[in-house]
Amino acid sequence: MSTPHPAGPELDGVHPAWLPQEAFRAIGSRRTLVRGDGVLADTVRAEVAYACALHGGVLLTDPEKPHDLALTVGGAPHAGEEGFVLARADGVTSVTAGGPAGLLYGLFEVVRRGEAAFGADLPAGTHRPALPRRMLDHWDNVDVHPVMGQVERGYAGGSIFWRDGEPRADLSRVRTYGRLLAACGINAVAVNNVNVHATEERLLTDRLGEVAAIAAELRPYGVRVHLSVSFASPVTLGGLGTADPLDDGVRAWWARTTERVYATVPDFGGYVVKADSEGRPGPFAYGRDHADGANVLADALAPFGGVVHWRAFVYDHRQDWRDRSTDRARAAHDHFAPLDGRFRDNAIVQVKYGPIDFQPREPVSPVIAAVPRTRLAVELQVTQEYTGQQKHVCYLAPMWREVLGFRLWGPEGRSVADVATGGGLVAVSNVGDDPYWTGHPLAQANLYAFGRLAWAPELDPAAVLDEWIGLTFPSAAGGPLRRALHDIMDGSWRTYERYTAPLGVGFMVRPGHHYGPDVDGYEYTPWGTYHFADRDGVGVDRTRATGTGFTGQYPLPWSEVYESLDTCPDELLLFFHHVPYGHVLSDGTTVIQHIYDTHFSGAEEAAAMRATWEKAAAADITGEPGVPVGLHARVRELLDEQVRSAREWRDQVNAYFFRKSGVPDAHGRPLH
Ligand code: BDP
């Protein structure tokens, strides 16, 4: 179908992210035997040949020749298509893969381990992904959208697929992207925005060739392509009078259209749909529900083994803020819990991790516990829409680790990751055509960590960061840089949380673009994102006793834990409760004093991050082969902005709550 990477994957002017040439030294300086057929095995051979050309080793195909590393497909059926067994004995490291994809992932596991893969003997260990689909959704537009630009919520330049309405002529960067994704375990990409505008709609029909061209670049790295489609397509593209999912003509249109997709892209992954959400068309217009809607697409995809990812992000964005019964947090559960059991087997309900919208702190969405007879995927946001927009360092793996490990039915019950084994883990991509891929060079770690946690949700975020550092800065990784990056990044999500909206209340961002503070920005809008601060207190009462009843959407023990002020975790207090400023938290501080303290310390921590980066630079990290000078300067500039912005957050939030409450800071610090 397609040839593997023809040559070196380095691109002119583009930073090679976590696979610079140096990362291949351990493999590239050895004798490696590769056995297997097909496009993925060819990729592995090309990768090994490339590494050997760089570092003087040899690629072998004859098993009789002595070798240091053997990469073989077959002989490990228990590892599954994507899994492999890794061992070292008698001076030979071996990867025995369950299928060709396992060979590719096994290769990158050896790359990750570097010299350690060729050291002491290693008992045979089976590696296989915990989640079947590990997917990135690109919110890329084909045309430049007048408000959202080329990439909606994109903070890394333009799209790597499209530019100004046209496909990019040179897709070699997409090939390199596929390589980076394979190296952290990602196996699926949706190439266009969930908000499917007129031009993007046509990717499904007359612009399908563009999708096929992208698929051809990603295929050698085991990444399948998915497409976001509009529910209204039978009308807008097919010229039918209706998109009613129960209409025979509509069903036939989806079936025909999907057949053509597979004729063009035989390994096409499936559709992603945002329906009846923020103005997108959906089944409600025809009096149908979301199971009806998802199933018509699922039926069209089923003969070809495709899946539809149907998003549960369904709510009314024009609600009346005075009527608390319309609590936006409730919406997804209200819509989807009653539909459990009605979705086809290849319809996957894709649920954002929290009930509102990718805030730095939310409780886990109750929908994840509410549809046991439905295949479910959890959606994260790698692009940092609400977490500093890739101007701020905010390493998100600790948050994702908490979400994935959250036990929905209490300590003995299943975790979010367990539930997601039915569908997978999805995230909105943070990649664009920026030379560093992600705008902020350190934001690459989020992309890498997403893939690794989707493969193994129990991984320790600091260990994942360590892997990323080792793979990204192999020459400098043993020195002060490793320590400096841990100091800056390990705790950066909590730092961000401290200087932004307090105690889980969320959404104190500037309306529209969502960068920087505006405490009341969304307070009187219809979007359903409120903090209800007045002179006496703050927070949203979502209890059953006196509030919106949202706590009742959780199973035990959480419905009770969140309902009670005595047991609700502090970090989610204002998400679930409206409390007076004098309410005392578990550490003995009042809510108002906690707001002041965290905002002072958060802004100080941001300044400390900048100092750490400067100090590490003064030691020995500038200049090749450590951290390239350009990268160092980019991070420094961005840290300047982070420090400025963190102070702005501190001052606005503190001043706001001081003026509302009239309570001074216990330590006499200025509140502006
Ligand atoms: C919100 C974004 C918006 C997306 C929406 C979604 O602000 O741009 O379209 O999520 O997930 O967070 O569909």
Side-chain angles (χ1 to χ4, degrees), residues 54-143:
L54 289 173
H55 301 292
V58 190
L59 165 67
L60 301 165
T61 46
D62 177 358
E64 300 307 318
K65 298 248 170 75
H67 49 264
D68 313 292
L69 172 64
L71 302 163
T72 315
V73 180
H78 64 287
E81 259 299 294
E82 297 187 306
F84 57 91
V85 175
L86 175 67
R88 180 163 174 86
D90 305 325
V92 177
T93 301
S94 59
V95 167
T96 313
L103 195 71
L104 186 65
Y105 294 129
L107 165 81
F108 285 119
E109 179 65 29
V110 177
V111 173
R112 183 159 32 243
R113 292 178 184 225
E115 279 304 321
F118 300 95
D121 279 3
L122 197 65
T126 303
H127 301 249
R128 53 186 304 171
L131 303 178
R133 192 165 300 98
R134 305 171 301 278
M135 175 167 172
L136 286 167
D137 282 2
H138 275 255
W139 286 355
D140 294 20
N141 298 316
V142 174
D143 274 328

Side-chain angles (χ1 to χ4, degrees), residues 139 152-153 195 274 278 311 313 352 357 385-386:
W139 286 355
E152 178 152 342
R153 312 305 181 185
N195 295 317
K274 171 178 180 177
E278 302 183 334
R311 298 177 85 225
F313 184 60
K352 289 190 182 187
D357 196 3
E385 176 176 1
Y386 296 100

Side-chain angles (χ1 to χ4, degrees), residues 377-565:
V378 174
E379 184 177 317
L380 308 173
Q381 200 180 37
V382 183
T383 196
Q384 290 174 238
E385 176 176 1
Y386 296 100
T387 50
Q389 304 202 345
Q390 279 139 254
K391 294 190 180 94
H392 295 216
V393 178
C394 186
Y395 178 51
L396 291 164
M399 177 199 349
W400 300 335
R401 177 71 193 75
E402 272 189 31
V403 168
L404 292 167
F406 182 79
R407 297 199 175 270
L408 295 149
W409 294 271
E412 304 306 317
R414 296 196 306 150
S415 68
V416 169
D418 294 336
V419 174
T421 52
L425 195 66
V426 181
V428 188
S429 169
N430 66 346
V431 160
D433 69 355
D434 171 77
Y436 296 99
W437 296 90
T438 53
H440 201 308
L442 305 186
Q444 286 176 13
N446 283 331
L447 185 65
Y448 180 83
F450 165 72
R452 295 290 289 142
L453 287 175
W455 180 283
E458 73 288 349
L459 285 175
D460 168 20
V464 173
L465 182 61
D466 219 52
E467 286 178 13
W468 177 78
I469 297 168
L471 280 175
T472 307
F473 306 107
S475 336
L481 177 66
R482 188 184 291 269
R483 192 63 263 141
L485 286 172
H486 277 291
D487 286 350
I488 291 167
M489 296 172 75
D490 281 338
S492 54
W493 162 55
R494 284 174 196 280
T495 293
Y496 185 83
E497 180 182 27
R498 280 193 269 275
Y499 62 71
T500 55
L503 297 167
V505 76
F507 260 102
M508 292 182 173
V509 289
R510 298 212 173 103
H513 60 71
H514 302 161
Y515 185 75
D518 185 346
V519 181
D520 275 343
Y522 275 105
E523 198 55 16
Y524 304 100
T525 71
W527 291 86
T529 50
Y530 315 121
H531 54 66
F532 294 103
D534 58 21
R535 61 173 205 174
D536 301 317
V538 55
V540 191
D541 184 354
R542 293 195 159 105
T543 62
R544 292 189 295 286
T546 50
T548 70
F550 171 68
T551 57
Q553 294 186 339
Y554 286 88
L556 286 169
W558 298 107
S559 54
E560 294 301 331
V561 169
Y562 293 142
E563 175 79 8
S564 161
L565 257 183

Side-chain angles (χ1 to χ4, degrees), residues 267-285:
D267 56 355
F268 181 70
Y271 299 137
V272 179
V273 184
K274 171 178 180 177
D276 291 317
S277 170
E278 302 183 334
R280 310 319 301 168
F284 287 163

